[in-house]
Amino acid sequence: MKVLGIETSCDETAVAVLEEGEKIIVNFVSSQIDVHKKFGGVVPEIASRHHVSNIKYLLKQAFDVVKPNDIDLVAVTYGPGLVGALLVGISVAKGIAMSRNIPLVAVNHLLGHIHSIFFSKKVEFPFVALLASGGHTEIVYVENETTVKVLGKTVDDAAGEAFDKVARVLNLGYPGGPAIQKAAENGNPHIYKFPRPLLNSKDYNFSFAGLKTSVLYFVRDHPKANISDIAASFQEAIVDVLVKKVFKAARDHNIRNVVFVGGVSANKRLREKAKEYAEKWNYSIFFPELSLCTDNAAMIARAGYFLYKKGYTSDIELNAVPNLSLDKG
Ligand code: KG4
Ligand code: ZN
């Protein structure tokens, strides 16, 4: 069975084809980072327009490798994300499914991120996952490929959003995560003590708005402070909270396998710190390949394949759900 995956929820247009939901035949991503860079963040209207023009090229490239007639299932992201951006992928997916008379399956982008781990790693269920991206930061109990329970989430900014906003304050550019990571390489992570919000709270929630504001005030009050030191100290604070809370969730639920997914899981310091913790306390940790941490369609095709196997399909009425939560499937 060949599954076509389509992803257009934010600023990456992506198309992939998988064989039996496992083997990647093609996986194309066209990033709009350069387009949005000058605005310091994603401009929804511009993102939609670029999806419209980019998707045809990606599909053409994919269909040069796998003939449209050989596709058996279309999987598409229907939320969460930018409504205009989601609608581009959904409309294209519907068109292909209708014209070929093949099933269509709607995929939650967040479930897709969880599937990004399986391409390179074999992880036994159940496991606990930290899903940290530009729009979401959640701790999830993953029972199987399609059944997940959200244990906690951010009450304000997402971790990636905090990286992006702090990078803007430090004039490091967009996207902020890789820029802060790079600046932090030459900095001292212990020189400034930024707050670690909700670090010791009993729940599994996060809050990063206060941390971001405290960096903002610090920069305003110390204009001569070293940027690399600020970047390293901020990164250390956010990574401390992410690592401590995901392992707390694992310990409380008696789980030894801890998975990290989403754009922020590309972060080098997060990977180091998680490794230190896992070695000390005897957990197994899993990170996706770097190229699969950020948005892609292979993860959507894989999640779609397993949803289809469980009997889920969508019809022509499928619409975008911009604030879809992971609990709602
Ligand atoms: O998963 P993703 O591609 O898109 C969303 O679904 O949001 O995540 C993008 C986010 C951005 O906020 C970006 O700054 C962050 O992931 N990111 C990183 C790193 N690479 C990307 N954050 C920290 N360190 C990185 N190396
Ligand atoms: Zn994402």
Side-chain angles (χ1 to χ4, degrees):
M1 179 179 218
K2 289 192 174 58
V3 187
L4 172 69
I6 296 178
E7 155 66 40
T8 62
S9 67
C10 191
D11 60 343
E12 258 100 30
T13 319
V15 166
V17 180
L18 302 190
E19 178 79 61
E20 294 307 323
E22 301 285 348
K23 189 170 165 280
I24 297 178
I25 305 176
V26 296
N27 185 27
F28 298 126
V29 180
S30 164
S31 173
Q32 303 177 13
I33 283 176
D34 288 340
V35 177
H36 299 282
K37 223 175 196 161
K38 53 181 170 290
F39 303 103
V42 179
V43 183
E45 164 84 18
I46 297 177
S48 308
R49 288 168 184 270
H50 277 83
H51 286 310
V52 169
S53 52
N54 291 346
I55 199 155
K56 61 177 184 276
Y57 296 110
L58 296 187
L59 279 170
K60 190 177 174 311
Q61 266 180 286
F63 290 153
D64 281 346
V65 181
V66 182
K67 297 282 155 276
N69 281 348
D70 292 338
I71 303 287
D72 304 294
L73 172 69
V74 184
V76 64
T77 303
Y78 78 115
L82 304 168
V83 65
L86 289 163
L87 286 171
V88 177
I90 291 172
S91 305
V92 168
K94 279 186 190 176
I96 295 170
M98 266 175 84
S99 62
R100 288 273 347 281
N101 200 20
I102 54 176
L104 172 70
V105 60
V107 177
N108 185 316
H109 179 80
L110 304 176
L111 183 67
H113 270 299
I114 290 169
H115 278 258
S116 67
I117 196 64
F118 299 111
F119 291 109
S120 50
K121 308 278 160 42
K122 186 163 171 26
V123 194
E124 301 279 324
F125 295 109
F127 59 80
V128 163
L130 172 73
L131 195 177
S133 69
H136 298 269
T137 299
E138 317 201 341
I139 294 179
V140 189
Y141 184 92
V142 183
E143 236 174 89
N144 58 46
E145 283 92 351
T146 55
T147 313
V148 302
K149 185 169 175 269
V150 176
L151 300 176
K153 55 168 81 174
T154 181
V155 297
D156 42 52
D157 291 357
E161 190 180 354
F163 271 100
D164 294 338
K165 287 179 175 168
V166 167
R168 209 178 310 162
V169 169
L170 299 177
N171 276 322
L172 290 172
Y174 175 85
I180 297 240
Q181 175 177 309
K182 187 155 189 297
E185 278 169 14
N186 308 314
N188 178 347
H190 306 294
I191 196 157
Y192 304 123
K193 276 271 162 267
F194 291 120
R196 278 128 170 95
L198 302 186
L199 182 67
N200 296 311
S201 70
K202 292 214 159 40
D203 55 28
Y204 310 111
N205 290 338
F206 299 101
S207 165
F208 297 117
L211 169 59
K212 167 199 73 190
T213 310
S214 115
V215 177
L216 180 72
Y217 289 160
F218 181 86
V219 172
R220 186 193 62 188
D221 299 339
H222 304 82
K224 296 219 163 71
N226 182 287
I227 301 280
S228 294
D229 288 342
I230 303 173
S233 301
F234 160 74
Q235 179 176 257
E236 199 64 21
I238 199 161
V239 163
D240 257 357
V241 184
L242 292 172
V243 169
K244 179 153 185 200
K245 294 210 92 161
V246 72
F247 282 108
K248 171 182 157 51
R251 188 186 58 216
D252 292 354
H253 292 82
N254 224 0
I255 296 286
R256 306 311 300 177
N257 287 342
V258 181
V259 165
F260 296 78
V261 292
V264 179
S265 69
N267 186 268
K268 223 168 126 192
R269 185 65 192 126
L270 175 73
R271 290 178 174 226
E272 277 167 15
K273 206 160 194 120
K275 188 160 174 265
E276 286 162 18
Y277 198 102
E279 280 170 2
K280 181 164 176 205
W281 299 104
N282 212 16
Y283 287 89
S284 299
I285 55 167
F286 304 87
F287 285 89
E289 281 170 35
L290 285 181
S291 64
L292 293 173
C293 289
T294 43
D295 291 348
N296 63 86
M299 68 186 195
I300 302 302
R302 193 180 191 280
Y305 172 82
F306 283 92
L307 287 165
Y308 178 72
K309 289 268 160 194
K310 289 254 168 94
Y312 294 98
T313 50
S314 296
D315 60 20
I316 207 65
E317 300 296 324
L318 176 65
N319 213 328
V321 183
N323 50 11
L324 181 67
S325 80
L326 189 49
D327 280 328
K328 300 252 163 57

